Amino acid sequence: MSNKSDISVRLLQGNESCAEAALLAGVRFFAGYPITPSTEIAEILSERLPQEGGKFIQMEDEIGSMAAIIGASLAGLKSMTATSGPGFSLKQENIGFAAFTEVPCVIVDVQRTGPSTGLPTSPAQGDLMQARWGTHGDHPAVALYPSSVSEVFDLTIQAVNISERLRTPVILLLDEVVAHMREKVVIPPESEIEIHHRPRPTVPPEDYLPYAAEPDGVPPMADFGTGYRYHVTGLYHDVTGYPTSSPQAVDFLIRRLHAKVAAAQSEITFTREEFVDDADTCVVACGVTARSARRAVQLAREKGLRCGLLQPMTIWPFPSGKVAAIASAVKRVIVPEMNMGQLLGEVERAAGNRCEVVGYSKVDGEPITPAEILSRIEEV
């Protein structure tokens, strides 16, 4: 049992919580380019990483930042970058490269109102689909989405762990409001924080096949510079890492990349449910909107309305099974979000025709309030 004195209670900003959690998860390399509203993550890690024996580099742009963390990860360091919408767009080609070459890394996207330069200091939730489909080609995606500073801490550690365990890029979506608010965070002793590391080769260098996967679909990963010499390419490749156009090898690789994430879906899909068991109306909301939805559901309950909340904390892979189960039990689902219906489309797809699905979009650069969601609950 841990000593109470080992537990740290701190008042942290969302971006600060992300930086501190990344350090505890073992991140020792950060490359980035300042952009509002994510800049505090880089600012904090520029001081904290050298204290922990890590490296910080401010790159010339977001493209270089993404390339740098891929290189650092190949050399064996847990790596992360942080940005916002326009920078997230610039990183997309290299995110696809990392997914295809199975290089673990974490990309934090602190969302702001867009498109283009938009409203740099105002919140929005318009990058849900960019997190899933931003890079070209067919690829799996993992994206986590906290609603509080405490969840930022927990899900940052999960993002690093999932990235390392599955050898895949993981995206952490933050809302500007969550990134900049301050809340209490209870930090457990380091000995109680579960940390995952990438699988390592157990064979000598001469027998190493860099893309020969284990039964879980994940190949062991050797660090560059340790005697394991291998080729990394964005072309389709076989287990040796060298390019191939063999239809059999091409088909096998893309299916394996998807299968390794699908096989772990139940372990990497986090959701939070409140008052769902007897609900006839369920609100599905994520990020800062889930906070307003939680209060709206509480107010609805006080008025005798049977209302519940589902908060997807893993947005990709989307918790379709959970949404389908809830849709089978309620009369309607309400989906408030700060975009023009990106989450609504996914909920409609998962719900099928099991119940009525109603969207509520707000795109004026202001957060959705509990009163607005309560009004929708009372209208339908």
Side-chain angles (χ1 to χ4, degrees):
M1 178 177 289
S2 63
N3 190 316
K4 270 191 170 181
S5 62
D6 296 330
I7 298 173
S8 172
V9 180
R10 299 181 60 185
L11 181 66
L12 295 177
Q13 185 202 56
N15 280 340
E16 184 181 14
S17 181
C18 177
E20 292 296 335
L23 290 169
L24 283 170
V27 169
R28 290 298 179 267
F29 184 85
F30 180 98
Y33 186 80
I35 181 170
T36 302
S38 73
T39 302
E40 292 86 357
I41 297 173
E43 183 180 2
I44 293 166
L45 288 175
S46 70
E47 293 185 7
R48 295 282 286 114
L49 268 170
Q51 295 170 358
E52 301 294 336
K55 303 292 184 186
F56 171 92
I57 299 179
Q58 178 175 321
M59 297 298 290
E60 70 275 20
D61 58 27
E62 289 86 351
I63 300 172
S65 303
M66 190 63 213
I69 68 167
I70 291 172
S73 184
L74 284 167
L77 293 181
K78 293 184 179 182
S79 302
M80 188 172 90
T81 186
T83 188
S84 185
F88 193 39
S89 300
L90 291 171
K91 293 179 186 294
Q92 290 297 338
E93 183 175 2
N94 276 334
I95 292 174
F97 179 83
F100 194 53
T101 55
E102 301 179 76
V103 179
C105 53
V106 173
I107 304 98
V108 183
D109 173 26
V110 185
Q111 298 172 93
R112 70 189 204 188
T113 305
S116 191
T117 308
L119 300 172
T121 59
S122 296
Q125 298 179 313
D127 294 348
L128 269 66
M129 287 299 166
Q130 188 179 194
R132 177 64 190 91
W133 300 110
T135 192
H136 61 281
D138 204 4
H139 60 92
V142 180
L144 309 183
Y145 201 165
S147 70
S148 68
V149 177
S150 183
E151 287 180 7
V152 170
F153 184 88
D154 294 338
L155 293 185
T156 299
I157 291 175
Q158 291 288 355
V160 178
N161 282 346
I162 294 168
S163 174
E164 292 288 314
R165 178 187 159 200
L166 297 182
R167 287 191 59 180
T168 192
V170 173
I171 294 160
L172 185 68
L173 284 176
L174 301 187
D175 291 325
E176 181 277 335
V177 176
V178 175
H180 283 157
M181 67 169 58
R182 291 184 182 275
E183 290 182 316
K184 183 177 79 172
V185 178
V186 178
I187 301 175
E190 285 191 47
S191 60
E192 293 185 5
I193 298 175
E194 187 175 5
I195 301 297
H196 292 193
H197 303 285
R198 64 192 64 177
R200 300 291 191 183
T202 57
V203 297
E206 59 270 24
D207 295 333
Y208 180 55
L209 293 172
Y211 290 99
E214 297 293 310
D216 62 359
V218 183
M221 184 174 182
D223 299 344
F224 275 18
T226 59
Y228 290 81
R229 300 181 65 184
Y230 60 98
H231 189 65
V232 179
T233 175
L235 294 169
Y236 271 88
H237 43 275
D238 58 21
V239 294
T240 68
Y242 285 98
T244 179
S245 56
S246 158
Q248 184 179 18
V250 168
D251 181 87
F252 177 80
L253 175 55
I254 195 65
R255 291 185 188 278
R256 180 177 65 75
L257 293 178
H258 282 265
K260 69 176 181 180
V261 174
Q265 183 165 348
S266 63
E267 300 161 44
I268 65 174
T269 303
F270 311 113
T271 60
R272 182 173 175 179
E273 298 174 41
E274 295 183 24
F275 305 113
V276 170
D277 288 347
D278 67 341
D280 55 28
T281 297
C282 182
V283 181
V284 179
C286 51
V288 69
T289 304
R291 300 169 68 98
S292 296
R294 183 168 297 111
R295 179 58 180 156
V297 166
Q298 292 168 350
L299 294 171
R301 285 273 166 180
E302 291 173 6
K303 294 186 174 191
L305 301 173
R306 292 191 298 170
C307 193
L309 169 67
L310 172 66
Q311 176 196 346
M313 299 163 74
T314 298
I315 198 73
W316 305 117
F318 191 71
S320 299
K322 182 71 69 176
V323 172
I326 289 174
S328 298
V330 302
K331 295 178 180 175
R332 68 192 64 83
V333 171
I334 298 174
V335 187
E337 55 186 325
M338 291 189 289
N339 59 54
M340 291 298 290
Q342 296 183 29
L343 180 60
L344 173 65
E346 280 303 301
V347 172
E348 287 177 331
R349 182 187 60 78
N353 294 316
R354 297 177 180 88
C355 72
E356 179 186 16
V357 179
V358 181
Y360 177 67
S361 292
K362 185 172 182 179
V363 288
D364 61 359
E366 296 292 329
I368 297 175
T369 66
E372 289 173 297
I373 298 173
L374 179 61
S375 176
R376 296 299 297 165
I377 293 171
E378 293 178 319
E379 283 176 13
V380 296

